[in-house]
Amino acid sequence: MSVERELAHVEPETAATNLVEVRIAAEAAQLAVMRAVVGDLAMRADYDIDSIADLRLAVDEACSSLVRLAAPEATLVCRFRTGGDRLSVTAEVLSDDAFGPRKDTFSWRVLSALADVVSTSVESDPAANGSHLVRIELTKGRTAHV
């Protein structure tokens, strides 16, 4: 499966970077797990309460978009990286559709407003019977404490 193949491209961890990977069934009922993980990581990284709420909502929007595109029986994979003053999330799922999330929707506007940087990509996977790996990446920096 291509998701395992993609793991080889993850940068090696350094002392300043922490990586957490979570895999769940690509179903809306499972998204609370991803919200809880990003909330906990942001809290441990000393994000303020508003930024934690933004991250939870951003991860929910990104994962919801991917669940809608997911192939039957697909697994949603999220990698959370904390390091320095930022938290990065990479969410991906196998899809039968060759198109990624639409960027002209209210959902995408919300996602873009909640994170500092948001991008999406679609990769063909010849080994997965014509499936495509759809990915959303987002980053949010920590607000300086005054």
Side-chain angles (χ1 to χ4, degrees):
M1 182 178 229
S2 68
V3 174
E4 283 78 17
R5 179 180 53 79
E6 287 298 313
L7 290 177
H9 298 293
V10 174
E11 303 119 33
E13 293 182 52
T14 64
T17 301
N18 294 310
L19 174 67
V20 174
E21 181 175 298
V22 179
R23 295 169 177 260
I24 60 171
E27 299 172 357
Q30 299 295 320
L31 297 183
V33 172
M34 298 303 188
R35 288 190 304 269
V37 170
V38 76
D40 184 68
L41 291 172
M43 188 173 23
R44 291 173 188 267
D46 202 27
Y47 278 69
D48 63 56
I49 193 79
D50 291 332
S51 294
I52 294 170
D54 288 351
L55 277 163
R56 284 184 174 143
L57 196 55
V59 165
D60 189 64
E61 286 293 333
C63 291
S64 294
S65 295
L66 292 175
V67 164
R68 286 190 294 273
L69 297 172
E73 309 292 319
T75 299
L76 175 64
V77 178
C78 282
R79 289 182 205 92
F80 304 91
R81 272 193 196 86
T82 56
D85 288 355
R86 65 189 180 113
L87 193 150
S88 298
V89 180
T90 302
E92 58 191 29
V93 70
L94 282 178
S95 175
D96 294 332
D97 191 356
F99 302 102
R102 291 181 42 199
K103 295 182 180 181
D104 61 347
T105 62
F106 179 72
S107 177
W108 189 262
R109 286 184 185 256
V110 168
L111 181 56
S112 297
L114 294 170
D116 297 336
V117 179
V118 182
S119 65
T120 185
S121 62
V122 179
E123 221 177 275
S124 292
D125 188 358
N129 299 328
S131 291
H132 304 276
L133 187 66
V134 181
R135 180 180 296 127
I136 296 176
E137 297 177 87
L138 62 96
T139 302
K140 183 156 182 75
R142 185 172 52 225
T143 306
H145 295 271
V146 182

